[in-house]
Short mmCIF file of all heavy atoms in Angstrom, two decimals:
data_model
loop_
_atom_site.label_atom_id
_atom_site.label_comp_id
_atom_site.label_asym_id
_atom_site.label_seq_id
_atom_site.Cartn_x
_atom_site.Cartn_y
_atom_site.Cartn_z
N GLN A 1 63.90 71.97 67.59
CA GLN A 1 63.42 72.15 66.25
C GLN A 1 63.50 70.81 65.46
O GLN A 1 62.53 70.51 64.68
CB GLN A 1 64.21 73.25 65.52
CG GLN A 1 64.00 74.64 66.01
CD GLN A 1 62.52 75.03 65.92
OE1 GLN A 1 61.83 74.74 64.98
NE2 GLN A 1 61.98 75.75 66.96
N ARG A 2 64.60 70.07 65.64
CA ARG A 2 64.71 68.76 64.90
C ARG A 2 63.55 67.83 65.40
O ARG A 2 62.88 67.11 64.63
CB ARG A 2 66.06 68.13 65.21
CG ARG A 2 66.21 66.80 64.53
CD ARG A 2 67.67 66.33 64.64
NE ARG A 2 67.90 65.07 63.95
CZ ARG A 2 67.59 63.87 64.45
NH1 ARG A 2 67.18 63.77 65.68
NH2 ARG A 2 67.82 62.74 63.71
N LEU A 3 63.31 67.81 66.66
CA LEU A 3 62.26 67.03 67.24
C LEU A 3 60.85 67.35 66.74
O LEU A 3 60.03 66.54 66.45
CB LEU A 3 62.38 66.98 68.78
CG LEU A 3 61.41 65.99 69.51
CD1 LEU A 3 61.65 64.53 69.01
CD2 LEU A 3 61.72 65.98 71.04
N LEU A 4 60.70 68.67 66.61
CA LEU A 4 59.41 69.17 66.01
C LEU A 4 59.32 68.70 64.58
O LEU A 4 58.14 68.32 64.20
CB LEU A 4 59.38 70.67 66.07
CG LEU A 4 59.03 71.37 67.47
CD1 LEU A 4 59.40 72.85 67.35
CD2 LEU A 4 57.61 71.13 67.75
N ARG A 5 60.38 68.72 63.80
CA ARG A 5 60.25 68.30 62.43
C ARG A 5 59.95 66.77 62.37
O ARG A 5 59.16 66.31 61.57
CB ARG A 5 61.58 68.53 61.72
CG ARG A 5 61.81 70.02 61.41
CD ARG A 5 62.92 70.19 60.39
NE ARG A 5 64.22 69.69 60.86
CZ ARG A 5 65.05 70.38 61.63
NH1 ARG A 5 64.80 71.63 61.93
NH2 ARG A 5 66.22 69.88 61.98
N LEU A 6 60.56 65.95 63.27
CA LEU A 6 60.28 64.57 63.32
C LEU A 6 58.84 64.29 63.68
O LEU A 6 58.17 63.39 63.13
CB LEU A 6 61.24 63.84 64.26
CG LEU A 6 62.67 63.64 63.87
CD1 LEU A 6 63.57 63.14 65.00
CD2 LEU A 6 62.81 62.66 62.77
N SER A 7 58.37 65.00 64.73
CA SER A 7 56.98 64.84 65.07
C SER A 7 56.03 65.21 63.99
O SER A 7 55.00 64.46 63.78
CB SER A 7 56.70 65.66 66.39
OG SER A 7 57.63 65.36 67.41
N LYS A 8 56.29 66.29 63.31
CA LYS A 8 55.40 66.72 62.21
C LYS A 8 55.46 65.68 61.07
O LYS A 8 54.44 65.29 60.46
CB LYS A 8 55.84 68.09 61.71
CG LYS A 8 54.90 68.54 60.56
CD LYS A 8 55.34 69.99 60.10
CE LYS A 8 54.48 70.52 58.92
NZ LYS A 8 54.98 71.78 58.50
N GLY A 9 56.67 65.15 60.79
CA GLY A 9 56.79 64.12 59.78
C GLY A 9 56.04 62.80 60.10
O GLY A 9 55.39 62.25 59.18
N LEU A 10 56.10 62.46 61.34
CA LEU A 10 55.36 61.26 61.77
C LEU A 10 53.84 61.47 61.68
O LEU A 10 53.12 60.65 61.23
CB LEU A 10 55.62 60.89 63.20
CG LEU A 10 54.93 59.63 63.83
CD1 LEU A 10 55.22 58.37 62.99
CD2 LEU A 10 55.37 59.40 65.25
N GLY A 11 53.37 62.76 62.03
CA GLY A 11 51.92 63.14 61.88
C GLY A 11 51.51 63.10 60.41
O GLY A 11 50.37 62.59 60.15
N ASN A 12 52.35 63.54 59.54
CA ASN A 12 52.03 63.52 58.09
C ASN A 12 52.02 62.13 57.56
O ASN A 12 51.16 61.74 56.79
CB ASN A 12 53.03 64.35 57.31
CG ASN A 12 52.93 65.83 57.63
OD1 ASN A 12 51.90 66.26 58.04
ND2 ASN A 12 54.07 66.49 57.37
N TYR A 13 52.96 61.29 58.02
CA TYR A 13 53.00 59.84 57.54
C TYR A 13 51.71 59.13 58.04
O TYR A 13 51.09 58.39 57.36
CB TYR A 13 54.22 59.19 58.24
CG TYR A 13 54.38 57.76 57.81
CD1 TYR A 13 54.86 57.42 56.56
CD2 TYR A 13 54.13 56.70 58.72
CE1 TYR A 13 55.06 56.07 56.24
CE2 TYR A 13 54.33 55.42 58.36
CZ TYR A 13 54.79 55.08 57.11
OH TYR A 13 54.93 53.73 56.78
N PHE A 14 51.30 59.43 59.26
CA PHE A 14 50.07 58.78 59.78
C PHE A 14 48.84 59.27 59.03
O PHE A 14 47.98 58.46 58.72
CB PHE A 14 49.94 59.18 61.32
CG PHE A 14 48.69 58.69 61.96
CD1 PHE A 14 48.58 57.35 62.39
CD2 PHE A 14 47.56 59.47 62.14
CE1 PHE A 14 47.39 56.89 62.94
CE2 PHE A 14 46.39 58.98 62.74
CZ PHE A 14 46.35 57.73 63.12
N ALA A 15 48.86 60.48 58.66
CA ALA A 15 47.73 61.03 57.87
C ALA A 15 47.70 60.47 56.52
O ALA A 15 46.59 60.24 55.97
CB ALA A 15 47.79 62.59 57.73
N SER A 16 48.82 60.13 55.98
CA SER A 16 48.87 59.48 54.58
C SER A 16 48.51 58.02 54.68
O SER A 16 48.10 57.45 53.66
CB SER A 16 50.25 59.63 54.02
OG SER A 16 50.61 60.98 53.86
N HIS A 17 48.70 57.36 55.84
CA HIS A 17 48.41 55.90 56.05
C HIS A 17 47.53 55.72 57.29
O HIS A 17 47.98 55.07 58.26
CB HIS A 17 49.67 55.20 56.09
CG HIS A 17 50.64 55.45 54.98
ND1 HIS A 17 50.44 54.95 53.70
CD2 HIS A 17 51.73 56.21 54.92
CE1 HIS A 17 51.52 55.35 52.96
NE2 HIS A 17 52.24 56.14 53.69
N PRO A 18 46.28 56.31 57.32
CA PRO A 18 45.58 56.19 58.59
C PRO A 18 45.12 54.85 58.97
O PRO A 18 44.84 54.58 60.18
CB PRO A 18 44.32 57.10 58.27
CG PRO A 18 44.23 57.11 56.72
CD PRO A 18 45.58 56.96 56.27
N THR A 19 44.97 53.96 58.00
CA THR A 19 44.48 52.59 58.40
C THR A 19 45.58 51.55 58.69
O THR A 19 45.30 50.42 58.99
CB THR A 19 43.62 52.04 57.15
OG1 THR A 19 44.46 51.94 56.03
CG2 THR A 19 42.43 52.92 56.95
N GLY A 20 46.86 51.96 58.45
CA GLY A 20 47.99 51.04 58.79
C GLY A 20 49.18 51.43 57.95
O GLY A 20 49.09 52.14 56.94
N VAL A 21 50.33 50.94 58.32
CA VAL A 21 51.54 51.22 57.56
C VAL A 21 51.70 50.34 56.35
O VAL A 21 51.17 49.25 56.36
CB VAL A 21 52.76 51.07 58.53
CG1 VAL A 21 52.66 51.99 59.76
CG2 VAL A 21 52.93 49.63 58.93
N PRO A 22 52.40 50.80 55.35
CA PRO A 22 52.58 49.93 54.15
C PRO A 22 53.43 48.68 54.46
O PRO A 22 54.36 48.85 55.23
CB PRO A 22 53.31 50.85 53.18
CG PRO A 22 53.05 52.21 53.66
CD PRO A 22 52.93 52.12 55.09
N SER A 23 53.03 47.63 53.97
CA SER A 23 53.82 46.38 54.20
C SER A 23 55.06 46.48 53.29
O SER A 23 55.07 47.11 52.29
CB SER A 23 52.92 45.16 53.89
OG SER A 23 52.58 45.15 52.50
N GLY A 24 56.12 45.73 53.65
CA GLY A 24 57.35 45.70 52.88
C GLY A 24 57.47 44.40 52.08
O GLY A 24 56.75 43.49 52.14
N ARG A 25 58.63 44.40 51.40
CA ARG A 25 58.94 43.21 50.59
C ARG A 25 59.55 42.16 51.54
O ARG A 25 60.49 42.37 52.35
CB ARG A 25 60.04 43.56 49.55
CG ARG A 25 59.49 44.43 48.42
CD ARG A 25 60.62 44.98 47.60
NE ARG A 25 61.43 45.91 48.34
CZ ARG A 25 62.53 46.40 47.89
NH1 ARG A 25 63.02 46.04 46.64
NH2 ARG A 25 63.23 47.23 48.54
N THR A 26 59.02 40.95 51.42
CA THR A 26 59.46 39.88 52.34
C THR A 26 60.77 39.23 51.57
O THR A 26 60.79 39.19 50.34
CB THR A 26 58.40 38.78 52.55
OG1 THR A 26 58.02 38.32 51.26
CG2 THR A 26 57.27 39.37 53.27
N GLY A 27 61.65 38.75 52.38
CA GLY A 27 62.74 38.15 51.79
C GLY A 27 63.73 39.04 51.08
O GLY A 27 64.52 38.64 50.19
N ARG A 28 63.71 40.35 51.40
CA ARG A 28 64.56 41.27 50.71
C ARG A 28 66.03 41.00 51.00
O ARG A 28 66.45 40.63 52.06
CB ARG A 28 64.24 42.74 51.18
CG ARG A 28 64.85 43.82 50.39
CD ARG A 28 64.31 45.19 50.87
NE ARG A 28 64.66 45.47 52.21
CZ ARG A 28 65.73 45.98 52.65
NH1 ARG A 28 66.72 46.25 51.74
NH2 ARG A 28 65.95 46.31 53.90
N SER A 29 66.88 41.21 50.00
CA SER A 29 68.33 40.87 50.12
C SER A 29 68.94 41.64 51.21
O SER A 29 68.74 42.89 51.35
CB SER A 29 69.07 41.15 48.79
OG SER A 29 70.43 40.97 48.97
N GLN A 30 69.71 41.06 52.01
CA GLN A 30 70.42 41.72 53.12
C GLN A 30 71.90 42.11 52.65
O GLN A 30 72.68 42.49 53.44
CB GLN A 30 70.53 40.97 54.30
CG GLN A 30 69.15 40.65 54.88
CD GLN A 30 68.38 41.91 55.46
OE1 GLN A 30 68.77 42.48 56.39
NE2 GLN A 30 67.41 42.32 54.72
#
C-alpha cells in the first residue's frame, strides 16, 4: 500500500510537470 501511494504520488508529480521537473535554487545554504 505504501508503494502504491508512492507510485501514485510520482504519477501525479509527473502530470503536474509533464515537460520537466522544477529547477532548484543554486548555491543553497547547506
Side-chain angles (χ1 to χ4, degrees):
Q1 290 300 322
R2 180 175 182 273
L3 189 51
L4 282 167
R5 290 194 298 272
L6 285 171
S7 301
K8 183 179 179 181
L10 179 60
N12 292 338
Y13 182 75
F14 178 79
S16 300
H17 308 284
T19 60
V21 300
S23 59
R25 292 169 290 174
T26 58
R28 189 173 63 85
S29 171
Q30 299 292 290

